């Protein structure tokens, strides 16, 4: 799905706060508001709140990474991650943490929520890579939204979601099957 986001480059925020040279990662934490977030207050919640995501610092300062404050020309609605949402277009959607309330610069790779819940299925990097299947399904194709029920728009998945020319250098020398 292509979304016309409104936002600010994450690199500008990082530059403004001048992380220590020992910082190698950026850790993001979501809001925990049980009164307005039904999943947080559920007795059957799978997630140990708050939801946590992370990026390497070099990924976070890449020009394509940004913090969204709006979409479709309007303020970001609650259901889409207000007041602040991370957007990293070359990664799978779960990396785009919503309702960010804390950003930390850390030395060690943060343990992310999905990585904690299912480490064999959700790696830290989460780069869109059609050559690496999820343990329960192929990621070689994708269905574009909006898409018709009887004529779905199914396409080949592109490496790094089509941004390979811009971001592949971030992962030069890495085994993308092991570092998924």
């Amino acid at each position: 799905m292509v979304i016309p986001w409104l936002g600010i480059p994450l690199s500008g925020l990082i530059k403004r706060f001048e992380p220590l040279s020992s910082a190698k990662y950026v850790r993001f934490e979501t809001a925990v508001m049980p009164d307005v977030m039904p999943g947080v207050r559920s007795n059957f919640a799978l997630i140990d709140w708050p939801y946590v995501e992370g990026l390497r610092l070099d990924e976070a300062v890449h020009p394509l990474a940004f913090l969204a404050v709006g979409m479709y020309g309007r303020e970001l609605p609650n259901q889409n991650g207000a007041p602040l949402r991370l957007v990293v277009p070359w990664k799978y959607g779960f990396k785009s943490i919503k309702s960010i309330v804390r950003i930390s610069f850390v030395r060690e790779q943060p343990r992310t929520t999905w990585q904690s819940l299912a480490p064999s299925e959700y790696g830290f990097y989460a780069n869109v890579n059609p050559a690496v299947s999820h343990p329960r399904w192929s990621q070689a194709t994708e269905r574009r939204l909006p898409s018709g029920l009887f004529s779905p728009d199914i396409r080949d998945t592109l490496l790094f979601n089509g941004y390979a020319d811009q971001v592949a250098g971030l992962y030069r020398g890495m085994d993308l099957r092991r570092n998924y």
Side-chain angles (χ1 to χ4, degrees):
M1 181 174 251
V2 177
I3 304 290
W5 298 105
L6 301 171
I8 60 170
L10 182 54
S11 63
L13 181 80
I14 292 171
K15 183 177 179 180
R16 184 175 193 153
F17 286 101
E18 300 176 2
L20 298 174
S21 61
S22 60
K24 304 295 181 219
Y25 296 90
V26 184
R27 181 183 183 276
F28 302 90
E29 190 174 305
T30 193
V32 179
M33 302 182 319
D35 293 342
V36 294
M37 298 172 149
V40 172
R41 68 176 180 255
S42 169
N43 290 334
F44 303 105
L46 296 174
I47 294 174
D48 183 20
W49 295 93
Y51 187 95
V52 173
E53 259 312 331
L55 296 173
R56 282 190 336 219
L57 194 55
D58 63 336
E59 294 174 309
V61 299
H62 191 279
L64 289 174
F66 66 96
L67 294 170
V69 295
M71 59 191 285
Y72 296 105
R74 298 204 167 128
E75 184 177 301
L76 194 62
N78 290 345
Q79 67 268 25
N80 293 106
L84 199 59
R85 176 192 183 132
L86 177 66
V87 178
V88 192
W90 69 93
K91 295 186 175 287
Y92 287 111
F94 68 90
K95 292 298 278 190
S96 294
I97 185 171
K98 299 176 178 181
S99 305
I100 298 169
V101 295
R102 181 172 289 125
I103 300 173
S104 307
F105 303 107
V106 298
R107 180 178 302 160
E108 302 294 325
Q109 180 178 304
R111 187 77 175 159
T112 65
T113 296
W114 280 105
Q115 189 182 21
S116 296
L117 289 172
S120 66
E121 297 183 14
Y122 300 97
F124 177 80
Y125 289 97
N127 290 316
V128 174
N129 188 347
V132 178
S133 290
H134 185 278
R136 292 180 279 138
W137 55 77
S138 169
Q139 298 182 134
T141 60
E142 63 186 24
R143 188 179 76 178
R144 289 286 175 102
L145 298 175
S147 185
L149 178 63
F150 298 108
S151 59
D153 185 1
I154 297 174
R155 301 176 183 200
D156 289 340
T157 302
L158 300 175
L159 181 63
F160 299 116
N161 219 16
Y163 294 100
D165 289 346
Q166 292 93 342
V167 301
L170 293 170
Y171 311 101
R172 190 170 287 117
M174 287 179 68
D175 179 350
L176 297 179
R177 289 189 176 276
R178 192 171 63 81
N179 296 294
Y180 56 94

